[in-house]
Amino acid sequence: MTFETDRPPSWQVCVTCGNELTESDSHARCPTCGGLLEIAHRPPDMTRAELLLRFTERRGRPPGAAAASGVWRFREFVLPSAEEVVSYPEGNTPLLHREVLDRWTGLVGLLLKHEGHNPTGSFKDRGMTVGVTQARRIGARAVACASTGNTSASLAAYAAQAGIPALVLVPSGNVASGKLAQSLAYGARTLLVRGGFDDCLRLVQEASERLGVYLLNSINPFRIEGQKTIVLELLQQLTWDPPDWIVLPAGNLGNTAAFGKALREAHAWGLITRLPRLAAVQAAGAAPFARSFEEGFKRRHRVTPDTVASAIRIGDPASHDRAVRAIRETDGVVLAVTDAQILEAKAAVDACGVGCEPASAASIAGARELVRRGTIAGGARVVAVLTGHLLKDPETLLQYHGQADPLPPGANRPVEIEADLREVERFLGKE
Ligand code: F0G
């Protein structure tokens, strides 16, 4: 099969007005209308079988080779023109099954795509390897982002690897300590902003424009290209036989947008013949997208967010429009789960030895809720994405297990004793 070749391999398109920019344009948004940008690729000049063979061959390359990265293995979908990449490498995350979670959710064969296995402990590394690669290609002097903690940890690590100074803005007092520690350790200049994530994002957009710093929030379309590989990799793990549902937590909606784009392209390029349905799960205290979904996406909402899942404590998601398209095209759903549901799901994921951070558990709580409502059939093939590692947020964890009254489901309270064998015996006797 041959395709038109009068275009470069990739270019940028404004999702609002259709304005086209070159791949190397560094604008954070469309310079004409302020809309979000998206990367368009010329479909590769090869058959489905040839493309799949390439993906398989690269998977077998020695670990450490850029082509073996779970992102760059799919480079035709990501950034085909990139020759030198800033890669850890990342991706290659496991697809897990735990019977306990089947019983807990009411599903059979629920699979967990555990993105906490990425180098900095979250899926953000998949987008950041592409974002920082692009920053280096265009000669960015510095890079910046606003974050609830994971994006900043990832940006700090990849910028350090590329030798580019990084600036991160995070909500003061509202970032889990594991994430803040990473940002400091990797050497990013870290600003603790007295405000929420939405304030940080507004501020960093203004600052990056004023100071000429390259913006690497998920409004950056190159980040989205990297995050698409969560879906591509899980499809490859399932030998390109798509599941019925993919469930993911949703905050700023970059990932929901990325999943939609990955599925759209995988379908258009003939890799899959059927689209899984997306289920985007928000925390009830930060659920503007779920509210909008309930109204048939007639209106965009903005809320003052409040949830224990600090990663998704976001009231005005930047990728709203792109995510609406993802939900519509996949016949998807959006729902909200309470903090109690999130924490109970997290305790269940942790107790089976897998573990994840609170926001990630929203997908498990959401899967259970959708089965309960009858939206997802008990026999459906479901993949739930765990977005971040258990050790990201030790405070929430210790608070949950240390709590006495009422004792939450699955709580494992520590007991303090004197350094005396009789106390150990007394404790075991009680057990
Ligand atoms: N899960 C985790 C662990 C996250 O860190 C985030 C977002 C999400 C889910 C939601 O993804 O924003 O694409 O809808 N964290 C961003 C950050 C906002 O700054 O680290 P989304």
Side-chain angles (χ1 to χ4, degrees):
M1 204 177 357
T2 45
F3 297 95
E4 52 171 327
T5 49
D6 55 337
R7 278 182 175 281
S10 313
W11 60 100
Q12 305 187 58
V13 188
C14 170
V15 293
T16 308
C17 74
N19 185 23
E20 292 191 1
L21 309 177
T22 62
E23 181 187 270
S24 59
D25 194 298
S26 64
H27 280 97
R29 286 173 175 273
C30 172
T32 310
C33 77
L36 292 177
L37 297 169
E38 202 167 76
I39 308 296
H41 301 291
R42 203 173 63 210
D45 190 6
M46 62 186 98
T47 64
R48 174 185 193 266
E50 285 166 346
L51 196 55
L52 294 190
L53 187 63
R54 275 199 185 185
F55 296 160
T56 309
E57 276 170 4
R58 290 178 190 152
R59 201 178 180 185
R61 299 272 173 87
S69 148
V71 171
W72 296 105
R73 177 160 81 246
F74 303 105
R75 61 192 295 256
E76 288 78 4
F77 273 83
V78 174
L79 197 55
S81 61
E83 273 160 18
E84 254 191 57
V85 300
V86 183
S87 171
Y88 193 98
E90 47 291 308
N92 290 312
T93 59
L95 200 54
L96 310 168
H97 175 240
R98 295 291 182 272
E99 258 162 39
V100 184
L101 295 177
D102 279 355
R103 284 195 291 279
W104 198 81
T105 53
L107 287 160
V108 183
L110 168 68
L111 293 172
L112 312 168
K113 179 68 175 155
H114 205 327
E115 288 296 301
H117 286 250
N118 272 293
T120 76
S122 85
F123 71 96
K124 303 292 182 179
D125 296 336
R126 291 190 185 256
M128 214 47 88
T129 180
V130 185
V132 172
T133 291
Q134 184 64 8
R136 201 164 67 179
R137 292 173 94 205
I138 63 168
R141 281 187 301 127
V143 289
C145 74
S147 181
T148 55
N150 280 326
T151 300
S152 45
S154 185
L155 177 69
Y158 280 83
Q161 191 179 331
I164 304 175
L167 173 72
V168 308
L169 280 72
V170 295
S172 181
N174 273 320
V175 179
S177 63
K179 305 175 187 183
L180 184 58
Q182 287 178 293
S183 166
L184 301 176
Y186 295 130
R189 295 298 298 155
T190 303
L191 300 180
L192 306 175
V193 178
R194 293 188 200 104
F197 169 82
D198 302 293
D199 299 304
C200 295
L201 186 55
R202 177 182 44 80
L203 205 57
V204 80
Q205 288 187 79
E206 289 165 7
S208 65
E209 216 164 283
R210 182 86 52 92
L211 307 172
V213 172
Y214 191 56
L215 187 64
L216 273 173
N217 273 98
S218 59
I219 63 167
N220 182 308
F222 294 93
R223 286 258 328 266
I224 300 292
E225 293 311 284
Q227 288 176 204
K228 285 186 332 195
T229 64
I230 303 171
V231 167
L232 297 174
E233 191 173 274
L234 78 83
L235 288 173
Q236 185 179 33
Q237 286 165 315
L238 296 174
T239 58
W240 305 98
D241 180 15
D244 299 314
W245 287 89
I246 301 177
V247 189
L248 78 160
N252 210 26
L253 302 178
N255 228 16
T256 307
F259 280 33
K261 189 169 190 278
L263 291 171
R264 187 187 318 140
E265 290 170 352
H267 191 254
W269 295 9
L271 297 193
I272 53 172
T273 51
R274 190 168 55 77
L275 289 182
R277 297 177 71 183
L278 289 180
V281 190
Q282 298 208 286
F289 191 53
R291 219 170 123 191
S292 178
F293 171 76
E294 277 156 24
E295 298 168 356
F297 291 131
K298 276 196 208 81
R299 230 154 63 75
R300 178 172 175 169
H301 288 281
R302 291 170 177 82
V303 303
T304 305
D306 180 23
T307 167
V308 69
S310 60
I312 50 174
R313 192 182 290 147
I314 294 171
D316 184 14
S319 285
H320 174 91
D321 295 348
R322 299 195 285 213
V324 169
R325 184 174 176 196
I327 296 298
R328 283 202 170 127
E329 286 183 353
T330 62
D331 189 22
V333 299
V334 188
L335 74 158
V337 290
T338 64
D339 278 3
Q341 286 177 297
I342 289 175
L343 289 176
E344 192 184 339
K346 175 175 153 52
V349 174
D350 291 353
C352 71
V354 170
C356 67
E357 71 162 280
S360 309
S363 54
I364 305 299
R368 184 196 219 188
E369 180 62 24
L370 288 168
V371 172
R372 198 190 60 78
R373 291 182 192 177
T375 311
I376 297 186
R381 291 172 64 225
V382 180
V383 177
V385 182
L386 299 178
T387 44
H389 197 279
L390 175 142
L391 290 173
K392 288 281 191 174
D393 189 347
E395 297 86 358
T396 306
L397 220 160
L398 294 172
Q399 154 77 24
Y400 187 81
H401 291 287
Q403 205 174 303
D405 197 21
L407 203 64
N412 179 20
R413 262 192 98 201
V415 178
E416 192 169 332
I417 60 161
E418 296 302 332
D420 183 334
L421 182 60
R422 277 165 308 180
E423 292 234 356
V424 179
E425 283 170 346
R426 202 174 309 135
F427 172 76
L428 291 176
K430 255 196 243 160
E431 295 275 295

